[in-house]
Amino acid sequence: MKTRFLAALAVSFSMLVACGDDNSSSANGDDEKELSSSSSEKSGDSKDKSSSSKGKSSSSEAKSSDSKDKSSSSKKEDKGEYKREFATSIASGETMFIGTMSLDHIGDLGKDYIEVGTRAGVVYYDRSLFIADLDIGSVARYSLDANNKIGKKSAELTLPGVWVNHIYFVNEEKAYLGGMLDSLLIINPKTMKTTGAIDLSKYKGDDALVVSPGTGVIVDGRLYVGLLQNVSDYATGNTAQVAIIDIKKDEVVAVAEDDRVAAVGSLDDSQNQSFIVADGYIYCYSNASWGYAPGQVDGFLRIKVGETKFDKDYQWFVTKDVAIDGVTKKGNFKYLSPTTDANGTKVYSFLNVMVDLQQVWTDMDSYHNNTCKPVEIDLAKKTMKALPIDYTSSWASYGKYIDDDGTVIFAVSTEKDGNAYFRYDPKSEKAEKIADVKQIPMWLVPLK
């Protein structure tokens, strides 16, 4: 999905810390609303007491559930007391909603959801969802109950006008927050207050408006985070840069640079899946500004875990090197949405082949064009194959997840099958639709 950026804002180190420290925790209730009425969620404080009573009632029923028969258990599920497996975002028109769901209860998709405008990210950690509302510049923490049902807002950090969408958790009381900033904020995830910052302004390129630490991953005591060097709302820098940070000292160890591809990572990748840890390497992906910066090179580079330079013996240029019969030709610009985590060296994604389908970005409606093909990728072997699932829209090209049994779940919005969930089996190489849904499904984040 190609998302629209807010105007890039370069925020100073001192302003960020001062702004963060002034933020106070806030609570918000009423966790029994339907999608159609969720726009009133922000004014639901007056319903907290009744919502709390419902929660206590649910807890009491749960404790006595062992003595009830199967029919009684079934009735409980009808009341919404089943275990939810995923956090997800869905779209209705151009508005997004975020909540939790179970693939066995698709009919409830949209209940108890939080409205977040047109753009948002969601992360799961420490029995909570962290929801970034990018339209207003905030990250809020929402608690989950024993069944993973979304509850109250327990804390919030607001940076008005600033896109912040990347959280890298060190532990329950320390995390880094990145986005369209010249710094990495250090926050306490429990309170959502800033406790410090790592100034990155000296690494800002001559043409960049903002350094923009985006996709990142923590491995062996170090945070590897891409510096996007935004030169406009859409275009990032021409060079791959990864800042390597010691998470004990909160210091930059080194910045790996390589001009074989453009800036690696993304700002709309809240799951930080443009950096993939596999086979002792961190594979870093560049989407070459989604095609908005002609001449930029897209593809994968990698850094060996523990080292501070890119592997000079590895490169894989997606546009230049990848051809798939009936899908795309070499040399036609194409890009991948963020991938799943790795299963060995294989990951799964959606390949956007607008050029092959003779389509281009024109306006917001273009996000609903069916141009993204589900694919399986072997990073080590540099191979990619199309899967037997129809093209989805780029607006719905982020939902995919490798299940414990090795099968892969895709959330799609297709012309042939509508809005649906598919399960792909790599062993049989077959896919089957497992559920239809009314809304456009987007993120699919496991709650574990």
Side-chain angles (χ1 to χ4, degrees), residues 167-319:
I167 309 177
Y168 330 98
F169 295 95
V170 177
N171 54 47
E172 294 179 357
E173 295 187 351
K174 180 181 178 181
Y176 299 101
L177 179 64
M180 294 190 81
L181 306 165
D182 283 331
S183 303
L184 267 177
L185 297 185
I186 306 171
I187 66 171
N188 183 324
K190 287 188 174 180
T191 64
M192 293 307 295
K193 291 186 177 181
T194 57
T195 59
I198 300 174
D199 187 5
L200 299 172
S201 59
K202 70 178 181 180
Y203 302 107
K204 183 159 61 178
D206 293 339
D207 299 326
L209 298 174
V210 60
V211 173
S212 297
T215 302
V217 63
I218 294 177
V219 186
D220 290 350
R222 290 180 172 182
L223 168 64
Y224 298 76
V225 58
L227 304 183
L228 294 170
Q229 305 287 2
N230 279 92
V231 298
S232 73
D233 286 353
Y234 295 142
T236 57
N238 295 320
T239 301
Q241 289 182 307
V242 175
I244 303 169
I245 294 167
D246 185 316
I247 64 173
K248 289 184 178 180
K249 299 179 179 179
D250 295 327
E251 295 177 354
V252 178
V253 175
V255 175
E257 296 190 20
D258 200 302
D259 61 6
R260 286 177 289 173
V261 302
V264 291
S266 177
L267 281 178
D268 61 350
D269 175 20
S270 65
Q271 295 301 302
N272 291 306
Q273 291 173 331
S274 294
F275 282 18
I276 306 122
V277 182
D279 197 28
Y281 291 92
I282 300 164
Y283 290 83
C284 308
Y285 174 66
S286 169
N287 62 22
S289 302
W290 300 282
Y292 280 95
Q296 284 191 347
V297 179
D298 63 280
F300 289 92
L301 300 179
R302 71 184 186 185
I303 301 173
K304 190 174 182 62
V305 173
E307 297 188 359
T308 57
K309 295 182 179 180
F310 285 98
D311 180 358
K312 293 297 183 183
D313 296 324
Y314 180 92
Q315 61 189 37
W316 186 23
F317 304 133
V318 174
T319 288

Side-chain angles (χ1 to χ4, degrees), residues 396-415:
S397 63
Y398 278 16
K400 58 269 180 189
Y401 166 68
I402 301 177
D403 214 342
D404 293 338
D405 61 1
T407 61
V408 188
I409 301 170
F410 287 92
V412 299
S413 179
T414 71
E415 184 175 354

Side-chain angles (χ1 to χ4, degrees), residues 15-30:
M15 288 177 64
L16 284 171
V17 175
C19 180
D21 287 341
D22 287 342
N23 276 282
S24 59
S25 299
S26 60
N28 207 350
D30 190 12

Side-chain angles (χ1 to χ4, degrees), residues 59-69 72-73 76 81:
S59 177
S60 298
E61 291 178 13
K63 290 180 180 178
S64 61
S65 63
D66 290 342
S67 62
K68 297 183 180 181
D69 60 21
S72 176
S73 177
K76 285 170 65 60
E81 297 174 24

